[in-house]
Amino acid sequence: MNSNSSSNSSKNKKRKREEAMVVKIMSSLEAVGDAIKEGNAILKDSNIIMEQSRQRVYSGEEIYSELELMNLEPKTLAKAYLFLIKNQDSAQALFGCPDRVRKTILDEIIGRDAS
C-alpha cells in the first residue's frame, strides 16, 4: 500500500501542477483578450477622430445644386460655382453656415454682390 500511496501522491502532485498550468494559461489568454478589446476600442476611437478631421469634399453637382437654391443671377452663379470648385475651403465655409446668411457669406467669398 505504501507504493500505491506514493503513486497516488505523485499523481495528485502532477494533477495539481497541470491544473496550475491550465490556470496560468487561462489567465494569460484572458489578458490577451483584454488587450485585444482595448486595442479595438482605441482603433474605433481613432477612426472616429479621423472621420471628424477629414474635410468634406463637395462635388461639382453638389455645389451647383446648393447655389441654385440661393436664386443667384446666372453670372453670379457661374462665378461662384467656378470659384468654389477650385476652393473647397470656401465651399465648406459657405455650405456650413445657415441658409439665411449664405448670400452674405458668398458675397464676402467672391468679393461682389451675390444677389
Side-chain angles (χ1 to χ4, degrees):
M1 275 213 177
N2 208 4
S3 69
N4 197 15
S5 172
S6 131
S7 175
N8 284 340
S9 175
S10 185
K11 286 180 183 178
N12 285 340
K13 286 180 184 178
K14 183 178 178 184
R15 187 172 14 100
K16 285 182 183 181
R17 277 193 307 251
E18 288 173 351
E19 288 174 359
M21 287 291 277
V22 168
V23 168
K24 284 182 182 180
I25 291 170
M26 293 302 291
S27 177
S28 296
L29 288 174
E30 286 178 21
V32 169
D34 290 344
I36 290 171
K37 285 179 188 176
E38 186 176 331
N40 286 342
I42 291 169
L43 184 60
K44 183 178 178 182
D45 291 345
S46 297
N47 286 341
I48 290 169
I49 291 168
M50 289 296 292
E51 283 294 319
Q52 292 171 347
S53 67
R54 197 174 317 161
Q55 186 177 2
R56 179 160 175 356
V57 176
Y58 289 92
S59 70
E61 186 177 324
E62 289 173 308
I63 290 172
Y64 193 86
S65 294
E66 289 296 322
L67 291 173
E68 273 190 319
L69 295 174
M70 295 171 62
N71 297 317
L72 302 171
E73 295 289 326
K75 206 170 194 175
T76 303
L77 188 145
K79 182 176 181 177
Y81 174 78
L82 292 173
F83 181 84
L84 294 172
I85 287 292
K86 294 177 188 173
N87 299 282
Q88 283 290 319
D89 288 343
S90 294
Q92 185 75 29
L94 181 65
F95 302 134
C97 70
D99 293 346
R100 68 183 185 287
V101 297
R102 284 189 179 173
K103 281 189 178 183
T104 304
I105 298 296
L106 183 61
D107 180 34
E108 292 297 318
I109 289 172
I110 64 172
R112 67 173 262 195
D113 188 7
S115 32

